[in-house]
Amino acid sequence: MMLGLEMPTAGWVALAVIQAVVMLLLTPLFSGFSRVMRAKMHSRQGPGILQDYRDIIKLLRRQSIAPSTSGVIFAITPMVLVITMLLVAMSLPTVTKVSPFPISGDIITDIYLFAIFRFFFSLSGVDSGSMFAGMGGSRELTLGILVEPIFMLSIFIMAMIANTMDLGHISLHMANHYWTMPIATILAGVACAFVIFIEMGKLPFDCAEAEQELQEGPLTEYSGADLGFMKLGLGLKQLVVAQFFLCIFFPWGKASSLNFGGLFGATILLIIKLFIVFFIAALLENSMARVRFVKVHRVTWIGFAIALLALVAYWFGL
Amino acid sequence: MSALSVFVLALILYGVGIILPALSEKREEVGVLSGGVLGALGAVLGVISSLMALCTSNTASVAVPTPFVLPDCALNFCGLSALMVLVISVVSLACSVYAISYVKEYLGKGAYRIAALLNGLILAMMLLVVVNNALYFIVLLEAISLTSYFLVREEGSEKTVKAANQYLMLSSVGSICVILAFAIFYVHADSLSFSAFHHANLTGFQSSVIFLLALVGFGFKAGMLVFHRWLPTAEPVAPSHASAMMSGVMVKMGIFGFIKVAIVLLGATHAWWGYVVLIMGCLSAVFGVLYALAEHNIKRLLAYHTVENIGIILMGVGVSMIGIANHHPILAVLGLLGALYHLMNHAIFKGLLFLGAGSIIYRLHTKDMEKMGGLARWMPYTALAFFIGTVAISALPPLNGFVSEWFIYQSLFHMSKLGHGMVIAGPLAVVMLAITGAFACMCFVKVYGVCFSGAPRSEAAATKAREVPMTMRLGMLWLALLCLVLGIGSPWVAPMFAQVAAHVAQVSTITVTQGALVVPATNQQAVLSTPVITIALILLLIVPFALKAFFRGVRLSRETNRTPWACGYDYEERMSVSAGGFTQTMRQMFAPLYRLRVWLDPAPTLMETLNKIPSVGSRRLEGMSAYYAYALIVILVVLLMSIIGVK
């Protein structure tokens, strides 16, 4: 019998907060790792793995300058991005078997917290008054429309398999009965991985070598400490979506209670898992051709088709 | 004092609120003021009475004797009716207060008429939801159509009158379907009271015919897809507070009527009815928001969003009907809970957004979003209220739009586990709802961004924009406050909706709260706590602020005096992103769906046929004359039926 969900105790909340803050502190490590990987694949020397720490610390020390056309939304967005991602990070069952903070651990709530991120990120672009930032915001939202159905459907199928909408319990179910519906699980996993790859802001959808202004998107007008927080928020989102994927489809090796040994081992394992995800993402990213943005939907429909196949497989109980 | 007597007092106030302004043609200011104040007082009483009725939850009904040969007019004030009175009252409170300043625009152009008509519309709606008799129901439905028709054509230009005539025509087609549905009931129940309809002895085929007639008839009234044509044409030309009333509340009369007929009177006996409603809901939601995205006219855009939200409400109703037909009481309550919650939420944030749009129009005198821009600087209160409405309608946590959509998601999940076709229908509906959410997000980034952000995009926006008068601000802030209360206070609000939903579906109620948590009947499926999420988000601000403080060093304070980057050229205001440009890629990607709009819409063909038939000699019948003809025909048919004794 499945346990009900309740308000977490103080210990669990403390773990959730520590987990979120640690993720925030690890963010530059993983974005630095992506940069190292890219440099290696381009056969260049490239920066060191800690370069992003140096960049962000430098930015945080600098003055923020905003265009005179910008408003309140532009000013608060960096903070909003960081706190929404921290809230999702709190709910992820990454080192424990169940979610340490199930209040925000419902999959619908999580998906809509990602929506807050996207909403403010794009709106800040429009709010700056810059045309490039505005276009970047438009692209971000268009991409959101294209990936949302795939993301929702693949996660929803996993929720149906686990018979609960709670991320922690889905993860628990997957850890205990992984092969109840193997084909549906694998297909949903492929569709979800596809979404995660896009949500991590990877090629071929994000045009890394396109016009500098367009590539920056809503970041165009940010500077100084504000830019530092924007970068932290974006990096944290990469980390969070990667773990979102991991805790549903690779839920092994996590602590079942709050003891130091178990948590420590689980954390080490988690970091290894994350490096593997970022490694694969970097391999894919740097070996793919880019697609014109208006043709992106032709690619994303394939992802949706895979998710639909997963639904059909679920229907037949495969 | 009982809830019912307070309610009757509210009705009397509205009655006076019609008469006083109507008599004050010479001194319009007095008329406008008295209309607004009486309307607001009536609304306050309406809120009090409905809350009293919802809290006590005992059936309060009274039979009002009538002097004619007409049947007695029984009022039934409980459950769903009380909830609808609450919805009407909270929005009309805002609109009445707002109107006191807003209608000054129309002084000398019929401001007193607008004040009287608005109170008339509200009074008719308040009565419609409580009467327990089909005859009065139809009469009041017509009263709503007519008052709103006159509100729509108030501006008087040729385009306005055309839109109003089209609205009246389509509304009448809806009315005819409703009358036919009630006629079938009457023939079998031998009485016009709803209590008798409830026990009418109908065959499966007959009840299915009634269901379809009600779906089409109330579909026209609610602006469901394919019957939605009047929404984006008629609403934008009405005065903005009237649009808020129509789009926020009046279309809900269609939903109310549909729930009344399909669930209360017919008992939702067939599962396929539920599927039909669910499919119509999904289509309305997706197409409504898709068409909204392509609009530049702010009020047309909001009107299309009404189509979308009606779709979301219908999804909940459909799920509930499937639950009732398949004898799953939890599903029945959960779906209807989501639907009713969203009904209330949509009334509030759509009312808010229309009032916000009205405030912009009040200053700039344009509805074209391309001519706005940068208004947040000059109209901070309007911008704040509008932003809250924007976040609420985009269903972002922790505001009210999110909570009701969350319940609908939970009901769809619950449904997906029950086997049969529901395994496929549930996830597909979830996908539709998710796409709708993503589209709405994009659409409202566009609306807020293009209207309130960046640089002014026209001369008018740069020079005429300034904050609107106090009463208009109060109206908007009241609704914005409700968005917060209904969202963050969800654990304390949800049980009320659950109780009403259980009452309507005639099953025992379900657990929806657990301390400060909201749960979908069981806490194993999911939990949500908007108050805790709000507190967590606020507390988490400590983390970035601590980082900021730690690295403060010699950092200079923030400056906002530079021009945006324009690749080295001089920045100009018109370089900022336009409403059209913002959605251009998206419209290109979904071009085939936009093409559907042309041949999916029966309205032009319908209008053509309707325009052809009633032409007397060289004079075409349209607008009121067509309406008289329609009323005459209906009366003749009824008389004929009573003469030949159809029972």
Side-chain angles (χ1 to χ4, degrees):
Chain A
M1 189 60 201
M2 211 185 327
L3 284 172
L5 297 157
E6 278 170 8
M7 203 63 94
T9 58
W12 284 96
V13 175
L15 174 75
V17 173
I18 293 168
Q19 162 182 325
V21 172
V22 168
M23 270 182 217
L24 184 68
L25 296 180
L26 285 180
T27 297
L29 180 69
F30 286 96
S31 53
F33 177 67
S34 293
R35 287 178 71 176
V36 170
M37 278 296 296
R38 176 177 296 171
K40 287 274 176 289
M41 291 189 68
H42 287 183
S43 311
R44 359 182 216 101
Q45 181 79 46
I49 197 166
L50 297 179
Q51 184 57 39
D52 273 15
Y53 280 104
R54 291 188 281 268
D55 285 355
I56 284 178
I57 289 172
K58 191 172 174 186
L59 282 172
L60 290 182
R61 288 182 194 282
R62 291 278 174 94
Q63 179 193 20
S64 300
I65 291 174
S68 55
T69 42
S70 70
V72 181
I73 306 289
F74 184 81
I76 63 169
T77 296
M79 295 292 171
V80 174
L81 299 196
V82 173
I83 59 171
T84 46
M85 281 308 114
L86 281 176
L87 188 59
V88 182
M90 277 172 72
S91 72
L92 293 171
T94 48
V95 291
T96 50
K97 285 204 165 158
V98 292
S99 168
F101 193 68
I103 307 298
S104 56
D106 175 65
I107 53 170
I108 303 295
T109 313
D110 280 337
I111 289 176
Y112 277 83
L113 284 170
F114 286 127
I116 296 190
F117 183 96
R118 182 171 281 133
F119 183 89
F120 273 89
F121 186 53
S122 344
L123 189 53
S124 75
V126 186
D127 198 44
S128 69
S130 154
M131 60 213 140
F132 295 113
M135 281 314 294
S138 160
R139 289 185 160 205
E140 175 75 21
L141 288 165
T142 308
L143 210 49
I145 290 169
L146 294 175
V147 300
E148 190 92 341
I150 314 172
F151 196 37
M152 183 62 93
L153 188 54
S154 56
I155 303 288
F156 194 79
I157 289 166
M158 299 315 291
M160 292 200 296
I161 292 175
N163 202 9
T164 171
M165 296 273 261
D166 177 70
L167 194 55
H169 284 178
I170 295 174
S171 181
L172 191 64
H173 178 92
M174 294 307 291
N176 295 340
H177 325 271
Y178 197 75
W179 295 115
T180 34
M181 292 201 186
I183 296 181
T185 308
I186 291 171
L187 286 171
V190 171
C192 189
F194 183 80
V195 174
I196 296 307
F197 183 67
I198 300 171
E199 287 281 346
M200 283 169 77
K202 300 294 186 184
L203 279 172
F205 307 108
D206 187 12
C207 316
E209 283 123 64
E211 291 288 334
Q212 194 64 26
E213 291 80 9
L214 262 184
Q215 178 218 339
E216 291 276 329
L219 291 182
T220 310
E221 292 299 331
Y222 278 102
S223 57
D226 282 351
L227 180 61
F229 283 117
M230 292 295 275
K231 287 201 167 200
L232 269 180
L234 288 169
L236 186 59
K237 186 184 176 189
Q238 294 193 348
L239 215 53
V240 165
V241 290
Q243 292 179 75
F244 202 88
F245 174 74
L246 283 177
C247 67
I248 294 177
F249 295 98
F250 296 94
W252 301 290
K254 296 190 294 190
S256 47
S257 66
L258 288 180
N259 63 4
F260 183 75
L263 288 178
F264 186 74
T267 311
I268 300 294
L269 192 64
L270 171 69
I271 290 176
I272 295 170
K273 281 191 216 167
L274 277 173
F275 269 115
I276 294 172
V277 169
F278 274 77
F279 179 76
I280 295 172
L283 279 187
L284 285 173
E285 169 188 30
N286 293 307
S287 52
M288 258 193 207
R290 275 187 286 124
V291 185
R292 271 181 66 206
F293 192 76
V294 285
K295 295 198 171 152
V296 163
H297 64 295
R298 298 186 189 174
V299 186
T300 55
W301 286 123
I302 299 170
F304 189 62
I306 298 171
L308 273 184
L309 280 180
L311 177 62
V312 173
Y314 172 82
W315 197 34
F316 287 112
L318 293 172
Chain B
M1 231 170 151
S2 75
L4 197 64
S5 45
V6 179
F7 178 68
V8 170
L9 205 59
L11 294 182
I12 294 169
L13 278 180
Y14 272 111
V16 182
I18 301 170
I19 298 163
L20 270 188
L23 294 177
S24 59
E25 191 179 354
K26 296 273 154 26
R27 303 187 58 193
E28 281 195 312
E29 290 90 347
V30 182
V32 169
L33 188 65
S34 61
V37 171
L38 285 168
L41 285 176
V44 170
L45 289 183
V47 171
I48 295 171
S49 66
S50 52
L51 285 179
M52 278 162 76
L54 286 169
C55 290
T56 52
S57 78
N58 49 1
T59 315
S61 58
V62 61
V64 184
T66 40
F68 316 108
V69 284
L70 296 172
D72 276 359
C73 177
L75 299 184
N76 191 355
F77 191 61
C78 69
L80 187 59
S81 305
L83 182 70
M84 294 305 293
V85 170
L86 184 63
V87 172
I88 299 167
S89 309
V90 290
V91 182
S92 60
L93 177 55
C95 291
S96 299
V97 173
Y98 185 91
I100 294 173
S101 302
Y102 182 77
V103 178
K104 292 206 175 114
E105 287 278 284
Y106 294 85
L107 282 180
K109 288 182 279 180
Y112 73 102
R113 276 202 305 271
I114 295 178
L117 282 171
L118 187 75
N119 283 340
L121 176 62
I122 298 169
L123 179 66
M125 290 195 290
M126 289 232 186
L127 276 169
L128 177 92
V129 295
V130 295
V131 291
N132 199 19
N133 185 299
L135 179 68
Y136 297 108
F137 188 93
I138 290 168
V139 170
L140 289 163
L141 208 56
E142 291 307 298
I144 292 172
S145 291
L146 281 177
T147 43
S148 52
Y149 165 75
F150 284 114
L151 278 169
V152 168
R153 62 173 291 171
E154 195 48 61
E155 204 179 278
S157 68
E158 195 183 335
K159 196 176 138 219
T160 313
V161 173
K162 201 170 163 227
N165 287 345
Q166 187 195 34
Y167 163 54
L168 192 64
M169 199 76 107
L170 292 178
S171 185
S172 304
V173 175
S175 300
I176 289 172
C177 293
V178 175
I179 293 172
L180 287 177
F182 284 165
I184 300 176
F185 264 128
Y186 174 62
V187 169
H188 291 89
D190 204 13
S191 159
L192 278 167
S193 100
F194 284 139
S195 334
F197 281 8
H198 186 59
H199 303 292
N201 199 6
L202 296 164
T203 63
F205 176 71
Q206 285 162 338
S207 42
S208 292
V209 171
I210 294 178
F211 161 75
L212 287 176
L213 283 170
L215 185 69
V216 175
F218 290 117
F220 268 109
K221 301 284 178 188
M224 186 174 74
L225 192 79
V226 302
F227 311 125
H228 67 279
R229 183 51 182 266
W230 60 273
L231 265 165
T233 51
E235 266 174 20
V237 294
S240 293
H241 64 302
S243 319
M245 217 52 220
M246 288 171 70
S247 201
V249 184
M250 196 185 79
V251 294
K252 306 295 160 45
M253 297 302 123
I255 300 284
F256 168 78
F258 181 69
I259 292 179
K260 184 109 186 163
V261 173
I263 298 183
V264 178
L265 298 181
L266 292 175
T269 40
H270 300 291
W272 67 267
W273 298 357
Y275 286 109
V276 169
V277 177
L278 184 62
I279 291 168
M280 290 312 290
C282 290
L283 294 179
S284 280
V286 172
F287 281 91
V289 73
L290 203 60
Y291 297 151
L293 208 48
E295 283 300 333
H296 298 190
N297 176 326
I298 185 164
K299 286 177 81 176
R300 272 178 75 93
L301 182 145
L302 291 175
Y304 270 123
H305 270 286
T306 303
V307 179
E308 174 219 334
N309 280 285
I310 289 295
I312 295 175
I313 297 169
L314 283 177
M315 284 168 86
V317 175
V319 170
S320 173
M321 288 171 70
I322 294 173
I324 296 172
N326 289 331
H327 307 291
H328 290 292
I330 296 178
L331 185 59
V333 178
L334 213 49
L336 203 54
L337 159 65
L340 293 176
Y341 207 151
H342 200 72
L343 187 152
M344 174 123 195
N345 291 339
H346 175 251
I348 289 166
F349 53 63
K350 185 52 63 69
L352 170 58
L353 290 169
F354 262 113
L355 295 187
S359 300
I360 301 173
I361 296 164
Y362 184 74
R363 286 297 183 216
L364 303 190
H365 295 104
T366 175
K367 292 171 197 155
D368 187 357
M369 299 205 300
E370 308 283 27
K371 297 206 172 77
M372 298 172 187
L375 300 178
R377 207 161 296 119
W378 315 114
M379 310 168 81
Y381 290 101
T382 308
L384 175 68
F386 198 90
F387 186 70
I388 291 175
T390 301
V391 173
I393 199 174
S394 311
L396 299 183
L399 294 194
N400 58 353
F402 172 69
V403 181
S404 46
E405 282 195 25
W406 186 83
F407 271 115
I408 293 175
Y409 273 116
Q410 298 298 338
S411 69
L412 286 168
F413 180 73
H414 195 89
M415 185 177 95
S416 310
K417 296 183 307 181
L418 296 175
H420 309 299
M422 294 183 264
V423 179
I424 291 294
L428 290 183
V430 163
V431 169
M432 297 292 233
L433 194 49
I435 297 180
T436 307
F439 273 123
C441 209
M442 178 166 202
C443 196
F444 278 96
V445 167
K446 175 181 106 167
V447 175
Y448 185 86
V450 173
C451 297
F452 289 97
S453 290
R457 287 169 176 76
S458 73
E459 191 66 33
T463 53
K464 288 193 214 153
R466 67 204 149 82
E467 192 51 270
V468 289
M470 181 57 99
T471 54
M472 289 170 76
R473 269 181 277 167
L474 278 179
M476 287 187 285
L477 290 176
W478 157 246
L479 291 179
L481 181 73
L482 282 178
C483 282
L484 295 175
V485 169
L486 283 173
I488 297 170
S490 59
W492 298 277
V493 180
M496 184 186 87
F497 288 100
Q499 210 174 10
V500 174
H503 185 252
V504 171
Q506 301 203 317
V507 291
S508 55
T509 189
I510 54 171
T511 324
V512 288
T513 49
Q514 177 187 314
L517 298 175
V518 179
V519 295
T522 155
N523 64 356
Q524 290 163 7
Q525 184 173 317
V527 292
L528 170 75
S529 178
T530 40
V532 176
I533 285 182
T534 315
I535 295 168
L537 281 175
I538 292 169
L539 288 182
L540 280 172
L541 273 175
I542 296 173
V543 177
F545 272 110
L547 271 179
K548 211 171 176 179
F550 185 73
F551 289 108
R552 190 172 56 225
V554 289
R555 188 175 60 217
L556 297 172
S557 58
R558 198 166 179 276
E559 269 183 45
T560 52
N561 52 4
R562 311 298 157 94
T563 52
W565 170 246
C567 287
Y569 294 91
D570 252 358
Y571 177 78
E572 281 177 47
E573 273 74 23
R574 59 200 170 95
M575 281 179 177
S576 41
V577 67
S578 66
F582 195 73
T583 53
Q584 199 250 350
T585 335
M586 221 286 314
R587 282 182 285 139
Q588 218 170 327
M589 285 174 180
F590 289 86
L593 293 184
Y594 282 103
R595 261 175 251 136
L596 276 181
R597 165 147 61 172
V598 181
W599 59 265
L600 250 185
D601 183 4
T605 337
L606 192 65
M607 290 302 294
E608 227 168 81
T609 345
L610 286 175
N611 278 339
K612 257 182 231 157
I613 301 166
S615 48
V616 183
S618 59
R619 193 160 164 268
R620 273 175 73 214
L621 279 179
E622 49 180 18
M624 279 317 288
S625 42
Y627 188 79
Y628 291 141
Y630 147 77
L632 197 68
I633 292 167
V634 170
I635 293 170
L636 280 179
V637 169
V638 171
L639 278 178
L640 212 64
M641 276 168 75
S642 59
I643 289 168
I644 50 177
V646 179
K647 277 283 151 140

